[in-house]
């Protein structure tokens, strides 16, 4: 009855600005796991990106067994290498979005066989690859290459975020009942299956594992974290989070992601 489940966003929440886990967070996470609590990586990243992150950040040494990836679109048991749950976007929707992005001159990507699938090798792709340590497959035509339903798509504009807002607004009528769109950072517009978000992923995980929602804690900093902050018994925003995220939270940390905000949450609500 005392076991808790802690759902943690990674970028700018658990990770510092150098994409590493501050030592104070590492120590708190070790204590949390050793005490028998569940720590669940909950991220917009793909499963393959999380694997790279675990290797580069020190996350792999902590023994975190479960990952909720793709903003809730996939749940993985890493110990058993078992996909527990997955939602994907129908190919007809993917193809439509590719065409729409082309018309607007907007960069858009999806994922295939653990790689980024893109039609353009430009600054948007290069920045994304540097942040995620993923590899890319650049092709003339995504529609001709993709034959598997992907977990998500991502529109990126690292210089003109207003283009992403305009695209989301233009696609709003078409996307109704088909896909959901929301921001995971000012330059990333996430495109996911209808109803997929971190909050829904958290609830699904708890259903699969028999964990009461009353035993859940979630922490994040961005718009795509709001759904799990709302769904958790204790929803936390880190000090560097967006104002709209803080407004939804039960608790806002005094520390930011570089100072060990996650350790503060663990010390206060778990240990």
């Amino acid at each position: 009855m005392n076991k808790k489940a802690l759902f943690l966003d990674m970028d700018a929440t658990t990770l510092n600005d150098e994409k590493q886990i501050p030592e104070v967070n590492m120590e708190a996470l070790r204590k949390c796991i050793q005490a028998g609590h569940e720590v669940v990586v909950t991220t917009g990243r793909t499963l393959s990106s999380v694997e790279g992150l675990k290797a580069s950040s020190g996350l792999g040494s902590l023994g975190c067994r479960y990952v909720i990836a793709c903003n809730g679109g996939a749940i993985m048991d890493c110990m058993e290498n078992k996909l527990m749950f997955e939602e994907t976007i129908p190919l007809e929707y993917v193809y439509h979005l590719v065409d729409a992005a082309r018309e607007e001159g907007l960069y858009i990507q999806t994922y295939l066989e653990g790689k980024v699938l893109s039609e353009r090798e430009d600054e948007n792709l290069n920045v994304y690859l540097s942040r995620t340590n993923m590899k890319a497959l650049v092709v003339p035509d995504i529609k001709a290459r993709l034959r598997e339903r992907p977990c998500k798509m991502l529109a990126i504009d690292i210089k003109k975020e207003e283009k992403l807002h305009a695209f989301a607004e233009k696609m709003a009528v078409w996307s109704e009942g088909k896909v959901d769109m929301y921001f995971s950072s000012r330059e990333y517009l996430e495109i996911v299956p209808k109803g997929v978000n971190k909050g829904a992923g958290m609830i699904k995980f708890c259903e699969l594992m028999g964990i009461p929602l009353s035993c859940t804690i979630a922490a994040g900093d961005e718009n795509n974290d709001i759904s799990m902050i709302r769904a958790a018994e204790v929803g936390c925003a880190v000090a560097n989070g967006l104002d709209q995220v803080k407004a939804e939270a039960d608790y806002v940390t005094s520390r930011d992601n570089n100072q060990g905000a996650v350790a503060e949450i663990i010390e206060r609500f778990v240990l």
Side-chain angles (χ1 to χ4, degrees), residues 82-148:
K82 176 185 176 183
L83 189 63
M84 300 167 61
F85 172 80
E86 185 179 40
E87 288 280 359
T88 55
I89 305 175
L91 286 176
E92 62 184 290
Y93 299 165
V94 175
Y95 298 161
H96 184 86
L97 286 158
V98 168
D99 286 338
R102 286 174 182 164
E103 289 178 8
E104 300 300 317
L106 183 68
Y107 175 90
I108 197 167
Q109 66 183 38
T110 188
Y111 304 86
L112 177 66
E113 298 170 355
K115 295 181 179 179
V116 176
L117 185 63
S118 172
E119 294 179 349
R120 286 161 45 184
E121 188 171 0
D122 65 6
E123 191 174 8
N124 295 299
L125 174 60
N126 291 333
V127 166
Y128 181 84
L129 296 179
S130 70
R131 291 176 178 177
T132 61
N133 292 319
M134 292 185 72
K135 295 182 178 180
L137 179 60
V138 180
V139 297
D141 185 358
I142 287 176
K143 294 164 61 178
R145 183 68 177 82
L146 190 66
R147 290 293 177 266
E148 300 173 7

Side-chain angles (χ1 to χ4, degrees), residues 200-213:
M202 188 194 83
I203 292 169
K204 183 66 176 180
F205 177 84
C206 288
E207 289 175 353
L208 292 170
M209 300 298 295
I211 297 173
L213 287 175

Side-chain angles (χ1 to χ4, degrees), residues 118-271:
S118 172
E119 294 179 349
R120 286 161 45 184
E121 188 171 0
D122 65 6
E123 191 174 8
N124 295 299
L125 174 60
N126 291 333
V127 166
Y128 181 84
L129 296 179
S130 70
R131 291 176 178 177
T132 61
N133 292 319
M134 292 185 72
K135 295 182 178 180
L137 179 60
V138 180
V139 297
D141 185 358
I142 287 176
K143 294 164 61 178
R145 183 68 177 82
L146 190 66
R147 290 293 177 266
E148 300 173 7
R149 291 168 52 143
C151 239
K152 73 169 195 170
M153 301 178 75
L154 188 66
I156 306 175
D157 198 308
I158 62 170
K159 291 182 177 178
K160 297 180 179 179
E161 59 185 281
E162 61 270 17
K163 287 181 65 176
L164 297 173
H165 287 278
F167 183 73
E169 185 175 345
K170 182 177 181 179
M171 300 302 294
V173 173
W174 171 84
S175 65
E176 185 66 32
K178 298 182 178 72
V179 297
D180 286 337
M181 299 184 183
Y182 44 76
F183 285 84
S184 57
S185 70
R186 63 174 184 80
E187 64 266 38
Y188 289 172
L189 177 63
E190 305 276 349
I191 304 170
V192 298
K194 185 67 182 174
V196 164
N197 55 62
K198 289 187 179 184
M202 188 194 83
I203 292 169
K204 183 66 176 180
F205 177 84
C206 288
E207 289 175 353
L208 292 170
M209 300 298 295
I211 297 173
L213 287 175
S214 59
C215 296
T216 59
I217 303 155
D221 71 301
E222 268 287 353
N223 280 310
N224 64 326
D225 299 316
I226 289 175
S227 60
M228 71 170 178
I229 286 172
R230 287 174 175 168
E233 177 70 14
V234 180
C236 303
V238 293
N240 54 289
L242 299 180
D243 288 343
Q244 56 265 42
V245 180
K246 294 177 182 178
E248 297 286 350
D250 301 303
Y251 178 77
V252 179
T253 64
S254 59
R255 306 179 204 171
D256 65 21
N257 64 307
N258 294 308
Q259 300 165 328
V262 163
E264 179 181 334
I265 292 166
I266 291 172
E267 291 160 4
R268 186 177 181 93
F269 297 108
V270 183
L271 299 178

